[in-house]
């Protein structure tokens, strides 16, 4: 297997595996709430969008992630414009809410899920941070539509967000494990941002060589100066 093939497979896996996990989890979490929100469409769209976002953040610079967020936000705004309370606010306000939501989740992915310091607890911390972003977005939506936010509603949104991002986080975790296992099996890099130890050693050798050459040139210049010095 080549590096390009692994990256292509990881793109498919970061959509497929989380989608299966969140679909199964969503059937349990969101059962009996069909009249409150079109959860199925929201869940599928969110999982696919975040799977692609995770793939981009793992393999490319953050700038590409912001471009992706803008494009997906426009698409999601059209999708949600007739759903729940989104139909009660303007298109521009919907767009801003979706951008804020996806931007918050992208920061959770980049600085929590992909952070090596959180590797042992990244699913839990990602779930908590995702629930916070989820709650903030729906709280803002309620405020903009002149709905009163009760304590029970706040806790309900946070609990739903935590369970939602818990199953998404589990899907991300399983996908990451599978991709890393395939990369290890074929001695490849799991993503495009990972530095190959061989290349890193080569860069270190090149740096050492440059330093030695610079020192050598300085010594030659010093000798020439000494020879020219009449004293």
């Amino acid at each position: 297997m080549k590096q390009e093939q692994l990256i292509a497979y990881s793109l498919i896996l970061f959509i497929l595996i989380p989608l299966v996990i969140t679909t199964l989890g969503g059937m349990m979490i969101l059962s009996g709430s069909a009249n409150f929100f079109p959860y199925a469409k929201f869940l599928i769209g969110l999982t696919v969008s975040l799977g692609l976002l995770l793939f981009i953040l793992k393999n490319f610079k953050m700038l590409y992630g912001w471009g992706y967020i803008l494009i997906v936000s426009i698409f999601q705004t059209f999708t949600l414009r007739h759903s729940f309370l989104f139909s009660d606010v303007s298109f521009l306000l919907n767009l801003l809410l979706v951008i804020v939501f996806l931007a918050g989740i992208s920061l959770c992915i980049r600085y929590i899920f992909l952070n090596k310091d959180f590797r042992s607890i990244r699913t839990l911390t990602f779930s908590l941070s995702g629930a916070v972003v989820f709650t903030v977005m729906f709280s803002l939506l309620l405020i903009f539509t002149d709905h009163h936010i009760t304590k029970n509603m706040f806790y309900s949104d946070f609990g739903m967000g935590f369970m939602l991002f818990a199953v998404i986080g589990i899907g991300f975790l399983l996908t990451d494990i599978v991709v890393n296992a395939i990369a290890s099996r074929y001695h490849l890099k799991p993503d495009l941002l990972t530095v190959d130890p061989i290349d890193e050693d080569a860069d270190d050798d090149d740096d050492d060589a440059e330093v030695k050459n610079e020192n050598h040139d300085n010594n030659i210049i010093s000798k020439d100066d000494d020879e020219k010095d009449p004293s």
Side-chain angles (χ1 to χ4, degrees), residues 18-36:
L19 187 59
V20 172
I21 298 298
T22 52
T23 300
L24 295 176
M27 291 174 63
M28 296 181 291
I29 296 172
L30 306 174
S31 60
S33 302
N35 295 328
F36 180 69

Side-chain angles (χ1 to χ4, degrees), residues 29 124-139 150-166:
I29 296 172
L124 175 60
T125 51
F126 175 73
S127 303
L128 291 171
S129 59
V132 171
V133 177
F134 182 86
T135 305
V136 169
M137 185 194 70
F138 274 99
S139 297
T150 64
K151 183 181 296 186
N152 291 334
M153 186 180 298
F154 181 84
Y155 289 145
S156 176
D157 288 341
F158 183 84
M160 184 184 301
F162 178 79
M163 291 186 290
L164 177 62
F165 283 96

Side-chain angles (χ1 to χ4, degrees), residues 1 56 60 64 129 134 141 182-183 192 206:
M1 178 181 291
I56 292 174
F60 304 99
Y64 293 93
S129 59
F134 182 86
L141 184 59
I182 296 175
L192 297 178
D206 292 339

Side-chain angles (χ1 to χ4, degrees), residues 163-174:
M163 291 186 290
L164 177 62
F165 283 96
V167 293
I168 292 177
I170 292 172
F172 285 172
L173 179 63
L174 292 177

Side-chain angles (χ1 to χ4, degrees), residues 20 25 28 38 48 53 55 66 78 82 84 115 119 121 136 165 171 203 207 222:
V20 172
M28 296 181 291
V48 173
L53 179 60
F55 172 80
W66 292 123
F78 278 107
H82 298 306
F84 189 42
N115 191 335
R119 187 166 294 275
I121 56 172
V136 169
F165 283 96
D203 292 338
D207 293 339
S222 299

